[in-house]
Each structure stands twice: as structure tokens, then as C-alpha cells.
Amino acid sequence: MAAAAAARRLPAASLRQHRPLLLRPFASSSGDQQPITVETSVPFTGHKIEPPSRSVETTPSELLTFFRDMSLMRRMEIAADSLYKSKLIRGFCHLYDGQEAVAVGLEASITKKDAIITAYRDHCIYLARGGNLVEAFAELMGRRAGCSKGKGGSMHFYKKESGFFGGHGIVGAQVPLGCGLAFAQKYIKEGTVTFALYGDGAANQGQLFEALNISALWDLPAILICENNHYGMGTAEWRAAKSPAYYKRGDYVPGLKVDGMDVLAVKQACKFAKEYALKNGPLILEMDTYRYHGHSMSDPGSTYRTRDEISGVRQERDPIERVRKLILSNDIASANELKNIEKEVRKEVDDAIAQAKESPMPDPSDLFTNVYVKGFGVEAFGADRKEVKAVLP
Ligand SMILES: Cc1ncc(C[n+]2csc(CCOP(=O)(O)OP(=O)(O)O)c2C)c(N)n1
Ligand SMILES: [Mg+2]
């Protein structure tokens, strides 16, 4: 038993090697790819569907990748919090710490040809889709090197070339857009699906049900993921939703309830959902997760919930700690080696911030770019609509 565990353990060299290859398996020597089967923390609960098995197959290198990627995301969000407080990030800023397992587990089960669309809590999904840290921090600080050229800010990260369609500030609006992406995917027949993420607050919106109805009628490969972090701004779910069983809220559309703090459960559910949606049409996944920070930077997050509630989730359900325990109990890496990964991640984030700070702000002339189609001679008027102030390029 001990010998098998030792054989499975990654050699120190390969632990050091793994640079930030987000969501790609670590290059490692023989032995470390031995599959391990892990039970999810809790069983899946199905609505009008037989849930998948609780036994999830993983490998030592996948677990280490999950550990690193979630740690990198956590560190990025903590750093964004400090940059905001020192006024280097302005405007809206919504952090994702606590919810990292959803981004990472989802990405582990799909390809970059599948599409993801989400709301404003988008930094970590962008990283999961292969976005880079410098572009993320530059965007947060409104700099030209940002993934939206510094003109989108925290809520408008995109990476279309790897299937990330934003980054949306209007609560719920991304869900019909996501169903539209799934409509296109049905046409092009490449076996791809769209995951449209929304919150428990957004789950009560009318447009979601309209889009779901059409998606179900037309069997679109649309998977709606409700990230239930139990609050919409300062409103607890029970004050806003008559039925907080979001996985059942599609009525005629099947659903699954998933522990969104367990990255392996998320991976299993998303893999299952993709296969299901390609054959049958839409499905709802409710991810039971938790928001560690307040709603946005203007919300301390502690007036409508108790500190004990927050620390209880951190202690009992934290997604990174869950993977750390799995790595240690399977003797894949030592506690010290995991600490070293965290140190590397911290340095990587600091270096990215330093680089992002070197990027200039957008030129004032960029105010007029990416707004209207070029060359149409669009005229801008003063408030009285009499005098033309400018003709846009
Ligand atoms: C149409 C619309 N209504 C209201 C708002 C203001 N608003 C921004 S976030 C939010 C709460 C949404 O909560 P939830 O869907 O649970 O997402 P979470 O912030 O928890 O990720 C509200 C009401 C908005 N942006 N758009
Ligand atoms: Mg919420």
C-alpha cells in the first residue's frame, strides 16, 4: 500500500517543472498517471433524470493541476482586492474566491470549442479558458494590454478564440445569449455545447425561462449552470426565491444538483451534461457554492450573514483544501511541496501585476473605437442635437 502510494508520487523535478500550464496535465514521468477513483462529497440529486455515479476517475497530475489552478485563481482575486483598495482598480469589481471549483471542474470536462458565457464574476472563468494573468490585471486596471484593451474592466472579460463570450453586467442577460450560441452550435454540427452561467438571484428572472423554453423546444445543446452562492447582493436566497431548488426550476427541463465546492463533482456533472445535451437538449446544473467576499468591492459582505457562516464554509467546504487533503492522503505530494506551489503562484501573480502596471492607459481616441462599425460616417451631436460635434472614423 505504502509502496504503491510512493510509486504514484510525482518526482520532485516534475513538481518544480510545472509552470502555469493552466488546466493542462503536468508533464511528468511514468507512474504518476495511475488513475485514482474518488467519491464525490455528496451524491448528485436529479430532477427528471438519473444522476451520474458518485465515483469520479482522476489522476495525480490532474489533482495537482486542480490545486495549482484554483490557488492561482484565489491569489488573483485576493490581489485584485488589494489593488482595488489602493485605487489601482476602479469601478465595479466582483470577486470569485470560494467559487473556483466551478470554473476549474467545468473546464476540465470540455474543450475550447465548447462555449462559456457568464455574468460579471468573470475573472477566473477567463483564466480557466486560457486567458493570461497579465491581460487580466491590465484589464482590471483599465490598461491597454488588457484582454478588452482596457475598455471593458472587471465585468467585461472575453476570449472568443477559446470560446469565452464574456463577461456581462446585466443580470441574467447572458442566458438568452448563451442559448443563441447553442442555436449556432446546433447548426454547425461540431458536437459542441454552451454553458451559460448565472446566479441564484438571476434564476428568478423571466428571460431565463423564455430562453429555456425555446432551447427545450428546439433541443439546443444549452447547459444552464446556476451558481448558487446563496446570495444576490445582500439578499439571501430564501428571501428572493419561493423555491430555492434551482435544479428543479426548469420544470420540464431536467436538472442536477451538484456540490460546487467539489471540483471532481463539478467535472463529473459537466461531462455528463455535455453528453446529455448533445443527445437531448438543455439541462440545468445547480452548483451549490459560496461567495467568500461581499457582492462587490462596495459590500463588506458581513451585515446580512454571520462571520461564523463564512468561516464555517471555509473550514468545512473550501475547494482548495479539499484537493489538498486528497493529494496528501494519496501521497501524491508532501505538504511542503504544496506550500511551494502556493509560493510560486504568489510570485507569478506579483510579476503579472508589475507587468500590467507598465502598460499605458488607452489613448483618448480609443473612446470611439469598437463602438460603431467603421467608415459609416456616424455623426455625434451636442445635447441640443443641432451642432455636429464629431464624425466618427
Ligand atoms: C437587470 C439587472 N437588475 C439588477 C442589477 C443589479 N445587480 C447586480 S448583481 C445583482 C445580484 C445578482 O445575484 P446573483 O444572480 O445571485 O449573482 P452573484 O452576484 O451572487 O454571483 C443585482 C441585483 C443588474 N445588474 N441587472
Ligand atoms: Mg448569488
Side-chain angles (χ1 to χ4, degrees):
M1 179 83 178
R8 209 187 284 136
R9 195 151 158 192
L10 284 191
S14 88
L15 275 166
R16 273 195 308 276
Q17 262 168 26
H18 58 246
R19 294 307 304 152
L21 300 176
L22 205 81
L23 305 159
R24 259 173 264 151
F26 293 96
S28 52
S29 60
S30 61
D32 70 319
Q33 287 297 343
Q34 293 264 337
I36 308 173
T37 303
V38 180
E39 287 250 300
T40 58
S41 56
V42 291
F44 300 103
T45 316
H47 164 67
K48 295 195 167 163
I49 198 164
E50 192 57 42
S53 157
R54 275 181 83 169
S55 299
V56 191
E57 202 164 278
T58 183
T59 60
S61 91
E62 183 178 66
L63 288 175
L64 280 168
T65 310
F66 286 167
F67 180 81
R68 179 180 233 282
D69 292 344
M70 290 196 288
S71 302
L72 190 70
M73 290 173 180
R74 176 79 48 98
R75 191 66 212 155
M76 172 176 72
E77 295 298 64
I78 305 297
D81 180 63
S82 315
L83 289 171
Y84 199 94
K85 285 174 178 146
S86 52
K87 295 195 164 54
L88 282 158
I89 298 175
R90 304 283 190 136
F92 285 105
C93 185
H94 307 82
L95 303 178
Y96 198 70
D97 49 325
Q99 302 184 208
E100 299 91 345
V102 178
V104 171
L106 166 58
E107 196 62 48
S109 62
I110 60 172
T111 76
K112 299 287 189 288
K113 287 197 158 181
D114 295 305
I116 303 183
I117 187 165
T118 189
Y120 38 80
R121 226 174 274 290
D122 59 353
H123 316 157
C124 296
I125 307 268
Y126 169 77
L127 272 201
R129 293 262 82 183
N132 93 24
L133 271 179
V134 177
E135 289 182 11
F137 280 114
E139 192 55 48
L140 285 170
M141 292 191 276
R143 316 265 169 162
R144 234 189 270 173
C147 55
S148 301
K149 300 186 180 144
K151 302 199 321 174
S154 162
M155 300 201 286
H156 301 291
F157 281 28
Y158 286 81
K159 195 167 178 58
K160 189 176 160 225
E161 67 279 16
S162 52
F164 181 42
F165 291 86
H168 295 264
I170 303 301
V171 167
Q174 73 280 10
V175 176
L177 293 175
C179 294
L181 291 167
F183 188 26
Q185 287 168 326
K186 180 140 182 141
Y187 255 99
I188 55 177
K189 296 191 176 76
E190 287 181 348
T192 55
V193 300
T194 295
F195 289 84
L197 280 68
Y198 58 98
D200 48 296
N204 300 310
Q205 269 213 355
Q207 59 180 321
L208 193 144
F209 298 94
E210 297 174 37
L212 193 58
N213 175 53
I214 288 292
S215 303
L217 265 180
W218 294 347
D219 299 331
L220 303 184
I223 296 139
L224 271 57
I225 296 191
C226 177
E227 287 189 88
N228 182 7
N229 59 17
H230 304 279
Y231 294 91
M233 302 184 89
T235 306
E237 62 178 348
W238 62 268
R239 293 174 63 205
K242 181 70 184 169
S243 161
Y246 301 101
Y247 69 107
K248 293 185 185 169
R249 294 272 298 269
D251 181 12
Y252 46 86
V253 172
L256 263 193
K257 185 167 180 181
V258 183
D259 181 354
M261 305 297 264
D262 176 350
V263 67
L264 290 171
V266 176
K267 180 182 95 157
Q268 183 92 324
C270 293
K271 183 169 172 276
F272 173 86
K274 180 174 172 177
E275 283 162 16
Y276 176 88
L278 283 172
K279 279 196 212 119
N280 309 291
L283 181 75
I284 295 182
L285 300 179
E286 177 186 344
M287 301 287 176
D288 177 4
T289 182
Y290 199 76
R291 191 192 75 203
Y292 286 167
H293 265 88
H295 168 70
S296 67
M297 299 310 303
S298 57
D299 168 23
S302 50
T303 52
Y304 46 85
R305 54 183 185 174
T306 60
R307 288 196 188 280
D308 284 353
E309 178 182 302
I310 307 169
S311 59
V313 178
R314 281 185 185 275
Q315 272 164 28
E316 303 293 324
R317 300 184 60 211
D318 185 82
I320 301 176
E321 294 313 310
R322 177 184 296 280
V323 173
R324 190 194 307 271
K325 276 187 207 139
L326 273 176
I327 291 173
L328 295 177
S329 62
N330 283 282
D331 200 22
I332 293 165
S334 68
N336 234 352
E337 286 164 332
L338 295 183
K339 284 255 168 296
N340 286 340
I341 292 178
E342 290 175 298
K343 261 191 221 154
E344 277 173 32
V345 156
R346 191 180 276 251
K347 181 170 181 319
E348 213 176 299
V349 166
D350 291 347
D351 291 350
I353 294 172
Q355 273 188 60
K357 280 183 182 166
E358 281 170 20
S359 171
M361 297 289 175
D363 192 81
S365 65
D366 282 337
L367 271 175
F368 298 108
T369 56
N370 311 118
V371 179
Y372 294 104
V373 176
K374 273 187 187 164
F376 270 35
V378 176
E379 294 174 334
F381 290 84
D384 59 5
R385 302 264 326 144
K386 282 187 184 142
E387 198 188 330
V388 176
K389 297 278 185 198
V391 178
L392 303 186

